[in-house]
Amino acid sequence: MPAHASAGLAEYERSCEGHPGGPEAGRMIREVLDRVGDKWSLLVVATLGDDVLRFSDLLRHIPGISQRMLTLTLRQLERDGLVIRTAYAEVPPRVEYRLTALGATFVEIAHTIAQWAIANHSTIEQSRAEYDAR
Amino acid sequence: MPAHASAGLAEYERSCEGHPGGPEAGRMIREVLDRVGDKWSLLVVATLGDDVLRFSDLLRHIPGISQRMLTLTLRQLERDGLVIRTAYAEVPPRVEYRLTALGATFVEIAHTIAQWAIANHSTIEQSRAEYDAR
DNA sequence: CGGAATCCCTTGGGATACTG
DNA sequence: CAGTATCCCAAGGGATTCCG
């Protein structure tokens, strides 16, 4: 990655021209964000962590998510290879979800974001208050 | 942060109960994602990096963004204290944007995501293809 | 140049009801 | 239990036009 940690994406793309990966960083970021930057994906991945959870477990651990959105989100994550779905032919049915190896690598990013969110939450709130007051 | 890097959010929240920051990690992640997980914010922040760019510069460097969305995104980022807007009273007008110190800390996350996106892009594409083929 | 305002279509996503 | 199927509203966001 960039030698200079806070180099702009523009500069980064310049350094990429020509070789694999190419200057398409912007497009790829957008694609990843479309998947994991939606309303629930990152939260589902972060909640799974290294646990194995059932559908109803996830529903309980993620306050505010609807059954519908949990279903859709899990399907997408499964399609993208971040989550493994295991259904047991029992009655009543039991379905377990866990992260793939790829999914596990993303958890670290999720934690980085969570950490940043927690650390800067109040600063942002304050900035908003000041902005709105002008 | 968690000793175990890939611990679940559930486990992390458990370890947080009681003290400042609290078990609200999920809510805070959602709030941060609502800001920076939208369609353009992260890309704007990543593009700014440590550069100072004009409105039209950003418009050119971020393929696909509309004038409207760039305006709205910059306003939000300014409100949240991630971006500083400087308007010069000239004609024709000139407006420059750069990151605040807070914004700069987020660039590192942006780069982490970019890195992950680039590294795993093809794996995800492949996983999708396999999923769709079944 | 750097927006603001309007129009209008598409998507996201909640609520609810039903099913194997 | 773990979904699927509908309905439907609200928000997102592109295209276009106008303005200081």
Side-chain angles (χ1 to χ4, degrees):
Chain A
M1 215 51 179
H4 193 189
S6 58
L9 182 60
E11 180 179 324
Y12 172 65
E13 293 207 337
R14 233 170 285 131
S15 77
C16 286
E17 273 160 18
H19 54 282
E24 304 282 17
R27 210 201 71 228
M28 291 195 286
I29 294 175
R30 290 267 40 263
E31 283 181 18
V32 166
L33 251 62
D34 280 341
R35 175 69 28 249
V36 87
D38 66 28
K39 200 170 178 182
W40 300 112
S41 291
L42 193 141
L43 221 44
V44 168
V45 170
T47 301
L48 273 174
D50 47 13
D51 298 333
V52 176
L53 299 176
R54 303 180 56 163
F55 187 85
S56 48
D57 291 332
L58 287 166
L59 211 50
R60 262 195 312 280
H61 278 78
I62 306 175
I65 197 170
S66 66
Q67 200 179 47
R68 169 191 156 84
M69 289 318 294
L70 180 55
T71 301
L72 292 179
T73 302
L74 285 168
R75 289 287 176 278
Q76 293 298 320
L77 292 173
E78 189 192 1
R79 185 169 108 101
D80 289 351
L82 299 184
V83 157
I84 292 177
R85 186 191 119 112
T86 315
Y88 297 90
E90 305 172 357
V91 42
R94 177 167 55 105
V95 181
E96 290 179 346
Y97 293 92
R98 60 196 162 87
L99 294 182
T100 62
L102 178 60
T105 68
F106 199 82
V107 167
E108 297 176 32
I109 293 183
H111 278 143
T112 304
I113 295 176
Q115 198 173 349
W116 192 91
I118 291 167
N120 302 106
H121 180 255
S122 65
T123 304
I124 290 176
E125 291 263 286
Q126 186 182 339
S127 176
R128 285 184 191 173
E130 287 173 15
Y131 185 94
D132 294 344
R134 315 179 305 166
Chain B
M1 216 48 180
H4 193 189
S6 59
L9 183 60
E11 179 181 321
Y12 172 66
E13 293 209 335
R14 233 171 285 130
S15 77
C16 288
E17 275 161 17
H19 53 284
E24 304 281 17
R27 210 202 70 229
M28 292 194 287
I29 294 175
R30 292 268 39 265
E31 284 181 17
V32 167
L33 250 63
D34 281 341
R35 174 70 26 251
V36 89
D38 67 29
K39 202 171 179 184
W40 301 111
S41 291
L42 194 140
L43 220 45
V44 168
V45 171
T47 301
L48 273 175
D50 48 14
D51 297 332
V52 176
L53 299 177
R54 300 179 59 163
F55 187 85
S56 48
D57 291 333
L58 287 166
L59 211 49
R60 263 195 312 278
H61 278 77
I62 306 175
I65 198 170
S66 64
Q67 199 180 51
R68 168 191 157 85
M69 289 317 295
L70 180 55
T71 301
L72 292 179
T73 302
L74 285 169
R75 288 288 174 278
Q76 294 298 320
L77 292 173
E78 188 192 0
R79 183 169 108 102
D80 289 351
L82 299 183
V83 158
I84 293 177
R85 186 191 118 111
T86 313
Y88 297 90
E90 304 171 358
V91 44
R94 176 167 55 105
V95 180
E96 291 180 346
Y97 294 92
R98 59 194 163 89
L99 294 181
T100 62
L102 179 60
T105 69
F106 199 82
V107 167
E108 297 176 32
I109 293 183
H111 278 142
T112 305
I113 295 177
Q115 197 172 347
W116 192 91
I118 291 165
N120 301 105
H121 180 255
S122 64
T123 305
I124 291 176
E125 292 263 286
Q126 187 182 338
S127 177
R128 285 183 192 174
E130 286 173 15
Y131 185 94
D132 294 343
R134 314 179 307 167

